[in-house]
Amino acid sequence: MAAVAQHTADSPRSAAPRRTRAPRWRKALRYTALVLVLLIMIGPFLWQLSTSLKGTTEDIYTSPPRLLPAHPTVANYRDVADIIPVWDFILNSLKVAVSNVATNVIGAAMAGYALSRLRFRGRGAAAVVFVLALLVPTEATMLAQFATMRSLELNNTLVAVVLPGCIGAMNVLLMRNAFDTIPYEIEEAAVIDGANVWQRFTRIALPAVKGTLAVVAIFSFMGAWDDFLWPLIVLSDSEHFTLTVGLNFLHGTFSDNQRVVAAGTIIAVAPLIVLFACLQRFFFRGVGEGAVKG
């Protein structure tokens, strides 16, 4: 009996599957691939940062290239501010980006909620229109947009820069998919309690999709901040130039001073890094944020 009991006690251990460790060469290959992808992604940024910190006495075309500057300096950043009114350009870009974020977050959330929850004639056709809008290249609509802005007498204004991208089709579809993950039973209970559509939208739906809202905000800010072609077309007065358009002066007048160009690039990228660092925890949760956890 003792032997049987001992065999019974040991049987779960023997039945448990043993974990096999992956070969070391596979792990080494995996980490090597990750390091290569990391270098490809951040290598140009690190090189621009290094170039922006190198002085005029240091050769930036050495072979092999040297990443760390021998004598770091911030003089190139001061030169950018002396050559162009960089702070005015940053303010214009900030106005456009913040307006774009506000209109996309509010407009895309309301449109996505309507497509997901409200019942009205033509809802399916409206969803198809948003999908088809993604298939049209932006460059194909710029002529019509420019003619529209001219007919509205909005050319050479920041309003004309904001309007074409104030609500993105992709953002609307992202919000619709996020609202689709919320169980209908929750809103049905709210309807029984007397909540109207606006109360259900603001008190139940929006708090459940904060992650997706953060994704929309980040993409909207990045798209508006980095946009170059449309502001270049619609703006003609330098006092209304955004940062990306204003930095173009560094390439034209001072094309042989790559240190100043690199400093201007870092100035343009820095706000995006700060924004992503502040919202990254919401960004990575954004895909499944709409799910209700029990």
Side-chain angles (χ1 to χ4, degrees), residues 173-188:
L173 296 177
L174 284 174
M175 295 306 306
R176 188 196 66 168
N177 292 339
F179 289 128
D180 282 343
T181 61
I182 304 175
Y184 281 93
E185 291 78 6
I186 297 179
E187 292 202 31
E188 290 175 355

Side-chain angles (χ1 to χ4, degrees), residues 18 28 38 54 59 68 80 97 119 151 181 202 209 212 233 254 260 270:
R18 295 182 179 179
L38 180 65
K54 292 179 180 179
D59 188 9
L68 297 178
V80 173
R119 299 291 181 266
S151 62
T181 61
T202 56
V209 294
T212 308
I233 293 175
F254 297 88
V260 178

